[in-house]
Amino acid sequence: MLQTQLQEAQQELKEAARQHQDDLIALREEGSTLLQDKIDLQKQMEDLKSQLVAQDESQRLVEQEVQEKLREAQEYGRIQKELESEKARSHVLIRERESERAARSGT
């Protein structure tokens, strides 16, 4: 009877040790999976950071180009006003010369 109880207890201990070993293996596998997930997420985060830096650089370049185009448009507007003013002065001078010629030919 004691021998049977001892054998049963030993069997239960072996079964508990086996279960413990199985649990330990499962925990190690889960830990390995979690570690790989962490590494993958870190890589994704680095990729996203790189994309963000590239987008920031692209946005900076676009803003520079917009500012350059704005300056060009302002310069174009200034030149156009100068040309219109010069054209108006030319018309005035032409009319004055025509008036002078008309006055000279009329005398």
Side-chain angles (χ1 to χ4, degrees), residues 18-64:
R18 228 178 289 126
Q19 184 62 42
H20 176 71
Q21 190 67 23
D22 290 345
D23 290 346
L24 191 57
I25 289 169
L27 285 173
R28 284 183 181 150
E29 288 174 357
E30 186 177 343
S32 177
T33 300
L34 290 173
L35 181 60
Q36 186 59 48
D37 289 348
K38 178 185 173 185
I39 291 168
D40 292 345
L41 287 173
Q42 286 175 330
K43 185 178 182 328
Q44 287 178 2
M45 193 167 69
E46 290 302 316
D47 289 346
L48 289 172
K49 283 181 183 178
S50 295
Q51 289 176 14
L52 182 60
V53 167
Q55 287 175 351
D56 286 347
E57 179 64 16
S58 177
Q59 182 179 357
R60 186 185 65 77
L61 291 174
V62 167
E63 287 173 359
Q64 281 180 344

Side-chain angles (χ1 to χ4, degrees), residues 55-98:
Q55 287 175 351
D56 286 347
E57 179 64 16
S58 177
Q59 182 179 357
R60 186 185 65 77
L61 291 174
V62 167
E63 287 173 359
Q64 281 180 344
E65 187 173 337
V66 166
Q67 289 299 322
E68 183 178 330
K69 295 294 182 190
L70 180 60
R71 282 190 297 273
E72 288 175 3
Q74 290 170 339
E75 180 67 12
Y76 174 77
R78 185 188 64 77
I79 291 171
Q80 189 173 14
K81 284 180 184 178
E82 286 180 11
L83 288 173
E84 289 171 1
S85 177
E86 187 63 33
K87 183 178 177 182
R89 280 192 297 260
S90 295
H91 285 291
V92 169
L93 286 174
I94 290 170
R95 283 190 210 116
E96 287 176 356
R97 288 183 183 160
E98 287 174 353

